Amino acid sequence: QVQLVESGGGLVQPGGSLRLSCAASGDTASIVYMAWYREAPGKQRELVAPFDAHDLSRYADSVKGRFTASRDNAKSTMFLQMNSLKPEDTAVYYCQARASGKAYWGQGTQVTVSS
């Protein structure tokens, strides 16, 4: 079992920045993949940024050049640095981890971009 807890969301003005964190606990040694997703009102949950610093092509087109995922393996924590935020980035952001053939989700953290 893997537990995920996201944090760092909030209200920010357009053009601002936020850094989200996802803390993993439990059987973290079995995690083979982590990624950030988001779900905006009335829209399907979408992949935002997998943790793969060498494969930026997998980032959502809408966030390329603005968002960067990273991971601190020692602390089993994943981050999402979000810069130049836009109102259309408003969503609940979720962390996903895959381990032992299962997908685990956190509870999500709300990001609201508004003036």
Side-chain angles (χ1 to χ4, degrees):
Q1 292 283 336
V2 174
Q3 295 79 42
L4 303 170
V5 178
E6 301 96 335
S7 61
L11 173 64
V12 63
Q13 292 186 340
S17 298
L18 281 176
R19 190 189 194 208
L20 306 183
S21 299
C22 170
S25 60
D27 188 13
T28 58
S30 65
I31 294 175
V32 295
Y33 173 85
M34 295 185 78
W36 287 100
Y37 285 74
R38 69 184 179 187
E39 186 172 331
K43 296 186 177 181
Q44 289 188 331
R45 191 171 299 188
E46 64 171 349
L47 175 66
V48 174
F51 170 65
D52 189 339
H54 303 292
D55 190 7
L56 299 180
S57 65
R58 297 186 61 208
Y59 280 42
D61 288 340
S62 59
V63 308
K64 285 179 182 177
R66 300 188 298 121
F67 290 13
T68 304
S70 61
R71 183 174 172 183
D72 182 339
N73 285 332
K75 297 183 178 180
S76 300
T77 303
M78 184 172 65
F79 304 97
L80 183 65
Q81 179 65 44
M82 306 187 295
N83 300 325
S84 302
L85 283 161
K86 305 176 181 180
E88 50 264 42
D89 294 318
T90 295
V92 178
Y93 284 71
Y94 296 90
C95 173
Q96 185 203 61
R98 296 180 190 173
S100 303
K102 297 180 180 180
Y104 298 90
W105 295 92
Q107 82 289 348
T109 185
Q110 176 71 47
V111 172
T112 302
V113 185
S114 175
S115 56

